[in-house]
Amino acid sequence: MATQDRLIESTQELLWERGYVGTSPKAIQQHAGVGQGSMYHHFTGKPDLAAAALRRSAEQMRAVAAADLAGPGTAYDRIAAYLLREREVLRGCRMGRMAQDPDVIADPQLSTPVAETFDWLRGRIAELVAEGQADGELGSGLDPVDTAAAVVAVVQGGYVLARAAGDAEPFDRAVRGALGLLAARRTG
């Protein structure tokens, strides 16, 4: 693996694990197994490297979600596939954790990939809800944008509840609850 990729992957892991402030350049270099010169050869500093890591995390999160949401079945089936996907629940969401980091949110270079990822996700789920309504699968009483926001909030809130409990069960309950609410709005 190229040095630049090792630096980005190490930064992704450390940001997820420790947050922005807890991710020092020295920790990144040690995790990546590279020297200081290598880091500064590829990146101007920690903010530049963190931005590259957040962009890559955003791309990866979108790719996984896109695969779930574009899979086979009805709109409900594809939303369920997204909600039921295997996750490292107790680690939380890479992007969700960054949305809670004040240093990330204060820096537009760092916060933009986070905001854009959640905007994309809500938009894609809203499209599926609207598709389900157009196909007669989901009731017309659902607002696609509000429903999409609720689905994303269930996942993010589920991560928080699970981490607080030290157990994945609160996440699983939140997902089952969201699916139950959506299933109650199915017309078929």
Side-chain angles (χ1 to χ4, degrees), residues 14-144:
L14 292 170
L15 286 172
W16 192 11
E17 200 176 284
R18 304 177 181 183
Y20 185 77
V21 171
T23 301
S24 69
K26 184 175 183 81
I28 295 167
Q29 293 160 21
Q30 288 175 338
H31 193 276
V34 303
Q36 183 176 1
S38 293
M39 181 175 155
Y40 291 102
H41 172 75
H42 294 287
F43 300 96
T44 59
K46 177 182 165 181
D48 184 39
L49 177 52
L54 288 172
R55 284 191 303 273
R56 183 169 295 173
S57 290
E59 290 167 9
Q60 291 168 341
M61 182 176 163
R62 286 184 206 180
V64 170
D68 292 332
L69 297 169
T74 65
Y76 174 87
D77 293 337
R78 289 180 278 158
I79 293 169
Y82 167 74
L83 287 170
L84 295 168
R85 171 175 34 89
E86 188 71 31
R87 292 176 163 85
E88 293 184 67
V89 173
L90 295 180
R91 286 190 78 188
C93 172
R94 286 179 189 264
M95 301 311 284
R97 296 220 28 209
M98 294 300 97
Q100 297 173 40
D101 190 314
D103 294 297
V104 170
I105 296 306
D107 183 339
Q109 181 184 11
L110 300 176
S111 65
T112 297
V114 175
E116 287 176 347
T117 299
F118 286 120
D119 287 346
W120 173 86
L121 184 58
R122 285 189 307 270
R124 183 65 188 105
I125 294 170
E127 289 171 5
L128 277 177
V129 173
E131 177 186 316
Q133 289 173 322
D135 291 346
E137 174 197 2
L138 296 173
S140 61
L142 287 174
D143 180 283

